[in-house]
Amino acid sequence: QAPLVESGGGSVQAGGSLRLSCRASGYPGSWNYCLGWFRQAQGRERTEVAGIDNAGRPTYAKSVKGRFTISKDFPKNILYLQMNNLKADDTAIYYCAARRCGETTYHVFGQGTQVTVSP
């Protein structure tokens, strides 16, 4: 079973909303890990969108702050990304990722889910 499995991507018009989910079944709650969301648009590098530590504190890229909200259901090990007021520039493949808390490098990524925002 893949450790990180994303779902919830799709197509939406600009101004719309989507919610992404990530099942982190490969990371039992006893393991000290932190999760985040990355995205990669066609022809561009993969960049971090949002992260959350094991105390539930979020961080956001400037480009999505105020529009996206990251959250985690700790008992169920599910990570969410609520995306509101979507823009065409948000079109990308979105990846769930994991890192050891206390480290800065994410070392595991999911398969990704496509988000397409039409103008």
Side-chain angles (χ1 to χ4, degrees):
Q1 187 177 7
L4 299 171
V5 180
E6 304 94 336
S7 61
S11 298
V12 65
Q13 289 187 328
S17 299
L18 284 173
R19 189 176 80 155
L20 305 182
S21 301
C22 172
R23 289 192 174 274
S25 58
Y27 295 90
S30 60
W31 196 64
N32 189 21
Y33 66 94
C34 292
L35 300 177
W37 289 99
F38 282 67
R39 69 185 181 187
Q40 185 170 19
Q42 191 170 7
R44 297 186 178 182
E45 294 185 352
R46 185 161 55 188
T47 58
E48 185 173 358
V49 173
I52 189 166
D53 66 14
N54 57 1
R57 291 172 296 210
T59 57
Y60 298 98
K62 289 182 181 179
S63 58
V64 305
K65 198 168 187 178
R67 300 187 297 121
F68 291 11
T69 302
I70 188 172
S71 62
K72 183 181 176 185
D73 184 329
F74 283 85
K76 295 182 180 179
N77 285 328
I78 300 176
L79 181 72
Y80 298 101
L81 185 68
Q82 177 66 43
M83 305 184 293
N84 297 329
N85 191 21
L86 283 161
K87 304 175 181 180
D89 285 347
D90 295 318
T91 296
I93 299 174
Y94 284 70
Y95 299 89
C96 180
R99 62 176 173 88
R100 290 186 181 271
C101 295
E103 298 180 358
T104 58
T105 301
Y106 287 82
H107 59 281
V108 179
F109 291 82
Q111 292 298 307
T113 185
Q114 176 70 47
V115 171
T116 302
V117 184
S118 56

